[in-house]
Amino acid sequence: QVQLVESGGGLVQAGGSLRLSCAASGTMFGVNTMAWYRQVPGNQREWVASITSGGSTYYADSVKGRFTVSRGNAKNTGYLQMNSLKPEDTGVYYCTARITTNTYWGQGTQVTVSS
């Protein structure tokens, strides 16, 4: 059974940084695309960034230049480095992993940016 576990969320002041981690386990296959989403209560889930198995990266306009998505050296791990955080970046951040034809979601990690 595939499991995704995120970590690294927390409370930070505006202008600060956080690094989120994501690790997929329970599969013999590699992760194709790993993506990050975020959700604020009452709002729709918003796509933040993606990285393909080949290393191509894509970002939402709202985070471009501030966030960096990367793959880890360990198999099936990834990171979201978040710099220059703003209060509007507050939300629950979810990691997703596409493995073969399925997409799996983590349980989410809370990021709170205070002004």
Side-chain angles (χ1 to χ4, degrees), residues 2-6 22-25 27 29-37 51 71 76-78 94-106:
V2 177
Q3 286 191 318
L4 257 62
V5 177
E6 302 105 332
C22 177
S25 61
T27 177
F29 299 105
V31 173
N32 293 324
T33 295
M34 184 171 282
W36 293 87
Y37 290 76
I51 183 167
R71 305 290 286 256
N76 292 346
T77 61
Y94 297 89
C95 168
T96 74
R98 184 155 181 88
I99 301 172
T100 62
T101 59
N102 298 309
T103 298
Y104 300 90
W105 288 75

Side-chain angles (χ1 to χ4, degrees), residues 49-74:
S50 298
I51 183 167
T52 68
S53 55
S56 296
T57 57
Y58 305 89
Y59 298 94
D61 287 343
S62 59
V63 306
K64 203 172 292 183
R66 299 188 298 121
F67 289 12
T68 302
V69 62
S70 62
R71 305 290 286 256
N73 290 328

Side-chain angles (χ1 to χ4, degrees), residues 15-16 18 21 48 58 63 66 81 87 89-90 93-94 101 108-109:
L18 283 174
S21 301
V48 175
Y58 305 89
V63 306
R66 299 188 298 121
Q81 177 68 43
D89 293 319
T90 294
Y93 282 70
Y94 297 89
T101 59
T109 184

